Amino acid sequence: MTSTIDMAHPALDGRSTERLAGLLSGWLPEQRWFGGKGRDIESVVVSSCLAAPQIADDNGEDVRLWHVLAEVTYRDGAANGEAPQTYQVFVGARRSLPDRLRHAAIGDPNSAVPELGGHCYDGLHDAFLAAWLLERIADRDSVGPLRFDRLAGQVLRTDLRALVLTGEQSNTSLVYGDQYIAKVFRRPAPGRSPELELGLALAVAESPHIAPPIGWAEFDAAALDGASLGGEAVDEPVTLLTLQPFLPSATDGWALALTSVRDLFAAEPDVSAARAGADFGPEAHRLGMATARVHRALAATLPTGWLAPEDLEHLAGGMRRQLEMTARQVPQLRPYAPGLAEAIDRLAALGGPLPVQRVHGDYHLGQAMRTVTGWILLDFEGEPTRSLAERRAPASPLKDIAGMLRSFDYAAHHLLGTMSTLADQPPAATELMTARAGEWAARNRDAFCRGYAEVLGYDPRAESAVLRAFEIDKAVYEVGYEAANRPSWLPIPLNACARLSTRH
């Protein structure tokens, strides 16, 4: 494969840019990672369109690549002054579209756009264009405002064929052979991603519990010439993608936990969670230890601070607002709202100071991979619905603890809703299964916290008012999410809210 960086390629004129925007307006809503599902698009505006390389594939055909940033405005949002959403697309173009790329076509696969180079498609699905990205990272290259880099001392293989993973929701992941995985941020935020920022900090700290960002690509903010990105000012490089080691033999914590729960449900009624097949307790304990070590490394390498009384009130205020909004949207939550609000008030009444630092921010069993050497924590991007400023702000480590504790509760109870035979069982059998799920969750929550305490010297449950408030905030968020997306799962967070509303 040969490639040339062709910065002399003529820029698109206004008519061509509008035609590209029209193609994207029909294609974007069909993508799994599109964040505006069900909303009417008011407009799509191409804010940046960089002509990158021209690549000759194995058959000698020229392949064009365009790096595109598109601003999407929605009809219901435009009236309320909502900022547009920014999406990143690597648009490939060929004079003829091979069958293997027709599924990735942008627009009509039989219709060419000559000014773009031919038939347009999602370039990440093209092994030749994906290889070009890897080569740029390996060479620490620059292509106009695109800046590619890698960790010092890293030597990357560039002869690996790429494959797009299908399970990603908010981003797109490319696996190169069995060596690397690249996460392409479909909605780049105006600044350095926490995924890259925290990953680099933990790499400096030589943490054994991460897959370090061995390479990345960023967009030079100066190229936007003062323009905003998603309505926010851009004054630092924008992270476009990260490259990490691929963990082909690892298993995520969610899958391991579900195996353990199934073993418990299949065991005789008098068999405890500690004795039922694949007991997850020891792994939960080790995961707690790994979490504590990562928190300790983040505190040692990045700024820390304290929340003053007014900051605690602001934090609690945000929790109250989410509770009030969700209770309006989900009537089933309303009976528990007073007790939940009272618990949140206890957080504000503590008066501080509360220590804060950089944390994972969206921590659950699916973000932890069990390898032959131990637990690896992934996806330090934070909650995808939060702004970049919110995701980069220091927070209490108890936020991560609460996220994982909620995840244990999910793993324990969600199988109950998928067991078709349960509805046919007498009430006593249903109560037994529910009790066993509660036993599993309690055992693993306890093991996780004990593992955390073993490393840092204190049990996070000792700060019960703060931990409970974070658990409530997470459970209330889950109520809203499940009501909108997976109604059959709604009883899991609702039952948690019932418990949290009365626990003291």
Side-chain angles (χ1 to χ4, degrees):
M1 182 182 71
T2 60
S3 66
T4 57
I5 298 173
D6 182 13
M7 294 306 297
H9 190 278
L12 294 179
D13 58 24
R15 183 176 179 181
S16 300
T17 302
E18 289 179 4
R19 186 169 183 186
L20 175 58
L23 292 176
L24 292 173
S25 66
W27 178 76
L28 284 170
E30 299 174 351
Q31 307 314 303
R32 179 168 183 165
W33 39 262
F34 184 65
K37 290 285 196 305
R39 302 179 68 182
D40 293 329
I41 293 178
E42 174 76 18
S43 65
V44 175
V45 176
V46 174
S47 57
S48 173
C49 185
L50 168 69
Q54 186 162 299
I55 302 174
D57 66 13
D58 291 340
N59 299 318
E61 180 183 353
D62 289 339
V63 185
R64 170 65 61 186
L65 175 64
W66 302 86
H67 178 262
V68 177
L69 295 177
E71 304 279 332
V72 178
T73 301
Y74 303 99
R75 289 177 185 171
D76 57 351
N80 300 322
E82 178 186 314
Q85 293 178 345
T86 301
Y87 289 90
Q88 173 184 207
V89 186
F90 288 89
V91 178
R94 291 172 173 263
R95 285 193 296 272
S96 61
L97 198 61
D99 289 342
R100 61 183 174 82
L101 291 174
R102 291 180 71 85
H103 74 283
I106 299 176
D108 184 353
N110 299 311
S111 178
V113 184
E115 56 270 36
L116 290 173
H119 300 264
C120 296
Y121 59 95
D122 184 350
L124 296 181
H125 289 266
D126 191 332
F128 294 98
L129 297 182
W132 178 85
L133 290 173
L134 185 60
E135 289 173 354
R136 302 284 73 73
I137 294 172
D139 293 342
R140 307 182 78 173
D141 212 341
S142 293
V143 183
L146 300 183
R147 306 282 186 259
F148 298 88
D149 208 346
R150 56 177 167 77
L151 277 180
Q154 288 286 337
V155 178
L156 303 181
R157 287 184 56 183
T158 58
D159 61 340
L160 303 170
R161 193 170 183 86
L163 176 68
V164 174
L165 295 184
T166 59
E168 194 74 62
Q169 287 190 325
S170 57
N171 304 301
T172 296
S173 291
L174 289 168
V175 173
Y176 290 91
D178 62 353
Q179 298 291 308
Y180 315 122
I181 182 169
K183 178 192 288 187
V184 179
F185 297 105
R186 288 298 191 169
R187 289 185 59 186
R192 174 160 279 187
S193 165
E195 171 89 343
L196 178 57
E197 183 183 12
L198 271 61
L200 289 174
L202 290 168
V204 169
E206 299 183 339
S207 172
H209 297 296
I210 64 160
I214 54 180
W216 59 91
E218 295 182 304
F219 193 92
D220 187 353
L224 292 175
D225 195 25
S228 65
L229 193 69
E232 297 184 53
V234 184
D235 55 8
E236 60 179 307
V238 176
T239 306
L240 302 178
L241 66 86
T242 58
L243 183 75
Q244 296 171 288
F246 184 51
L247 308 172
S249 61
T251 304
D252 73 77
W254 177 254
L256 290 174
L258 291 189
T259 298
S260 176
V261 175
R262 288 190 185 99
D263 282 356
L264 177 62
F265 287 172
E268 294 297 325
D270 60 342
V271 176
S272 69
R275 296 171 48 231
D279 177 25
F280 194 72
E283 290 299 343
H285 184 269
R286 284 187 280 267
L287 181 57
M289 296 176 68
T291 304
R293 293 188 187 110
V294 168
H295 280 169
R296 183 170 60 190
L298 288 173
T301 54
L302 293 171
T304 61
W306 299 85
L307 293 186
E310 59 271 22
D311 300 318
L312 277 176
E313 176 54 46
H314 178 76
L315 176 63
M319 294 179 177
R320 291 191 202 98
R321 286 189 294 275
Q322 176 175 253
L323 174 60
E324 293 166 0
M325 178 187 70
T326 308
R328 287 196 298 270
Q329 297 171 342
V330 186
Q332 300 95 313
L333 179 63
R334 294 171 190 168
Y336 315 121
L340 298 174
E342 181 182 349
I344 293 172
D345 289 342
R346 291 197 184 111
L347 170 65
L350 291 177
L354 180 70
V356 292
Q357 62 168 84
R358 298 300 296 275
V359 299
H360 185 285
D362 187 25
Y363 198 40
H364 53 78
L365 284 165
Q367 307 283 39
M369 301 290 288
R370 186 62 166 92
T371 70
V372 294
T373 59
W375 284 100
I376 300 293
L377 277 55
L378 301 176
D379 296 334
F380 286 82
E381 192 178 349
E383 295 176 338
T385 58
R386 305 280 186 180
S387 69
L388 180 64
E390 290 175 309
R391 290 186 282 125
R392 295 176 71 178
S396 169
L398 294 172
K399 179 178 181 179
D400 281 353
I401 304 297
M404 186 56 70
L405 297 185
R406 290 293 313 126
S407 193
F408 286 128
D409 187 57
Y410 256 74
H413 291 91
H414 109 279
L415 284 178
L416 294 177
T418 63
M419 297 175 64
S420 58
T421 59
L422 197 61
D424 301 326
Q425 298 296 319
T430 301
E431 291 175 6
L432 174 62
M433 297 294 280
T434 301
R436 303 203 84 183
E439 177 197 358
W440 188 96
R443 170 173 171 75
N444 288 284
R445 287 162 60 99
D446 175 70
F448 178 84
C449 289
R450 285 189 291 104
Y452 193 91
E454 190 172 312
V455 172
L456 292 183
Y458 74 93
D459 191 317
R461 292 171 293 186
E463 301 182 64
S464 58
V466 181
L467 183 59
R468 182 183 176 196
F470 277 116
E471 280 198 76
I472 287 171
D473 194 49
K474 184 69 172 178
V476 169
Y477 166 81
E478 293 163 355
V479 166
Y481 180 86
E482 303 299 7
N485 297 281
R486 298 182 298 196
S488 64
W489 287 39
L490 182 57
I492 300 174
L494 275 178
N495 289 336
C497 286
R499 295 191 301 269
L500 288 164
S501 68
T502 59
R503 195 177 73 195
H504 297 284

